[in-house]
């Protein structure tokens, strides 16, 4: 689309196309469009922590409104930015405050009761780092940065959220913004204080080698790990380790096209503990003595020589 637009503007002798984006987004665009002639037809305007994009008006004597733009880049979405329209109070938030869900009634204002789990699930799957928390805090400052006093007591405020996925949020906009801050703080605290359980069984040592490699990779990020070989653990040991962990990696070989008995039994213990946790707590992290109901999980294994893959 961008390439076609630039080509049409070039035929008309128009000025280069202005593209407002972050430095990361600029690199992405240049990598996608390998035609140097088309790239030369783009006038990149860098978006930083706080930038203004003027809105063109025919009446040059009128007060010219603008869009307030903040960079909200994070490892998952390096080109992300938030755009605030002070005329309407609408914040175009990109991936933030999104949900993979459709409204039951088009145009309706989503309620907290009906959509909070969808909003939280999207955050839990999409944002993992302190840079995401910094991005949310920049969004909070967007109205204050929009005024001369830098306090924002009388400046335009966010009244609605327009995320990239899911419904527009009006009544619950500020509650969702505040909850994002709280959820990210809790998630990052759990990452600093918690650990990942690596539970595996190994027939000839190959899955053990994989488990140790995964352990090194996780610990390289500053997260602690606990290694457990299911062949030498009781059901109680596995249940206790699962209810205390903040992340889980399961590893298994195949023997005759089947999962080893030790891993089958371990998986049963984990699923039963998770089911019990769902009944006792809706938390995705430990809270006092409550049983954890959900943790991030991954699987690995050494297999395929006999066709199981």
């Amino acid at each position: 689309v961008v390439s076609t637009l630039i080509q049409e503007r070039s035929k008309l002798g128009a000025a280069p196309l202005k593209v407002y984006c972050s430095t990361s987004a600029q690199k992405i665009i240049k990598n996608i469009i390998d035609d140097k002639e088309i790239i030369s037809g783009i006038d990149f305007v860098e978006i930083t922590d706080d930038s203004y994009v003027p809105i063109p008006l025919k009446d040059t004597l009128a007060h010219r409104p603008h869009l307030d733009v903040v960079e909200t880049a994070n490892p998952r979405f390096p080109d992300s930015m938030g755009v605030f329209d002070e005329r309407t109070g609408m914040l175009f938030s990109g991936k933030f405050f999104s949900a993979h869900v459709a409204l039951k009634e088009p145009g309706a204002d989503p309620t907290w009761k009906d959509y909070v789990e969808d909003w939280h699930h999207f955050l839990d799957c999409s944002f993992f780092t302190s840079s995401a928390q910094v991005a949310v805090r920049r969004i909070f400052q967007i109205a204050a940065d929009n005024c001369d006093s830098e306090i924002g007591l009388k400046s335009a405020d966010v009244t609605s959220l327009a995320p990239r996925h899911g419904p527009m949020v009006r009544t619950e906009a500020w509650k969702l913004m505040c909850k994002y801050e709280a959820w990210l703080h809790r998630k990052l605290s759990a990452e600093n204080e918690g650990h990942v359980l690596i539970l595996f069984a190994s027939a000839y040592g190959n899955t053990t080698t994989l488990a140790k490699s995964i352990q090194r990779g996780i610990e390289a990020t500053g997260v602690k790990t606990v290694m457990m070989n299911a062949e030498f653990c009781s059901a109680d040991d596995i249940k206790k380790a699962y209810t205390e962990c903040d992340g889980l990696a399961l590893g298994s070989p195949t023997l005759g096209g089947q999962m080893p008995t030790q891993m089958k039994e371990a998986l049963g213990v984990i699923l039963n503990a998770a089911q019990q946790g769902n009944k006792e707590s809706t938390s995705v992290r430990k809270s006092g003595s409550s049983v954890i109901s959900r943790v991030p999980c991954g699987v690995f294994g050494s297999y395929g020589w006999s066709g199981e893959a």
Side-chain angles (χ1 to χ4, degrees), residues 55-66:
I55 299 175
L57 294 175
K58 293 182 179 179
D59 185 0
T60 57
L61 298 178
H63 169 67
R64 175 167 292 184
H66 61 267

Side-chain angles (χ1 to χ4, degrees), residues 111-154:
T111 63
W112 190 258
K113 178 181 178 181
D114 291 338
Y115 293 95
V116 60
E117 291 187 6
D118 297 295
W119 285 322
H120 182 271
H121 180 73
F122 189 95
L123 174 141
D124 206 31
C125 295
S126 303
F127 303 111
F128 315 95
T129 63
S130 57
S131 59
Q133 189 176 43
V134 170
V136 172
R137 290 174 178 173
R138 285 178 180 166
I139 290 173
F140 271 104
Q141 289 294 320
I142 202 165
D145 290 342
N146 208 28
C147 65
D148 296 333
S149 65
E150 297 184 356
I151 298 177
L153 297 179
K154 298 181 179 180

Side-chain angles (χ1 to χ4, degrees), residues 187-291:
K187 189 171 187 177
L188 292 172
S189 297
E191 289 179 359
N192 294 332
E193 299 170 2
H195 66 271
V196 174
L197 171 63
I198 304 175
L199 180 63
F200 66 97
S202 186
Y204 301 103
N206 295 319
T207 307
T208 299
T209 300
L210 289 172
K212 290 179 178 179
S213 296
I214 290 169
Q215 180 186 36
R216 288 194 297 270
I218 293 173
E219 292 184 347
T221 67
V223 178
K224 299 176 182 178
T225 62
V226 172
M227 293 270 284
M228 292 184 68
N229 189 326
E231 299 171 79
F232 308 108
C233 301
S234 67
D236 289 340
D237 292 335
I238 292 172
K239 180 177 180 180
K240 183 176 184 296
Y242 171 69
T243 56
E244 292 178 350
C245 77
D246 298 273
L248 175 65
L250 294 172
S252 176
T254 55
L255 296 175
Q258 300 292 323
M259 183 186 300
T261 301
Q262 296 90 341
M263 286 307 299
K264 287 183 180 179
E265 294 176 349
L267 186 58
V269 170
I270 290 171
L271 292 175
N272 286 334
Q275 187 175 28
Q276 180 185 355
N278 286 330
K279 293 177 180 178
E280 297 183 8
S281 171
T282 58
S283 173
V284 296
R285 289 288 185 266
K286 297 185 292 293
S287 178
S289 60
S290 65
V291 179

Side-chain angles (χ1 to χ4, degrees), residues 36 39 43 64 76 108 119 139 200 295:
K36 293 183 179 180
I39 291 295
D43 178 14
R64 175 167 292 184
R76 185 79 183 273
W119 285 322
I139 290 173
F200 66 97
V295 295

Side-chain angles (χ1 to χ4, degrees), residues 26-53:
Q26 182 176 335
K27 292 179 180 178
I28 292 172
I29 293 173
K30 289 182 177 179
N31 286 334
I32 293 175
I33 303 176
D34 55 4
D35 190 324
K36 293 183 179 180
E37 184 176 348
I38 292 178
I39 291 295
S40 65
I42 302 177
D43 178 14
F44 288 103
V45 181
E46 184 180 359
I47 296 297
T48 56
D49 288 353
D50 185 30
S51 302
Y52 296 104
V53 178

Side-chain angles (χ1 to χ4, degrees), residues 74-120:
N74 56 88
R76 185 79 183 273
F77 308 108
D79 58 336
S80 178
M81 63 183 185
V83 182
F84 176 57
D85 187 346
E86 62 177 1
R87 300 169 300 173
T88 62
M90 183 175 292
L91 173 68
F92 299 90
S93 56
K95 293 286 186 177
F96 289 95
F97 317 121
S98 289
H100 284 143
V101 64
L103 286 172
K104 298 176 182 177
E105 297 180 10
D109 192 8
T111 63
W112 190 258
K113 178 181 178 181
D114 291 338
Y115 293 95
V116 60
E117 291 187 6
D118 297 295
W119 285 322
H120 182 271

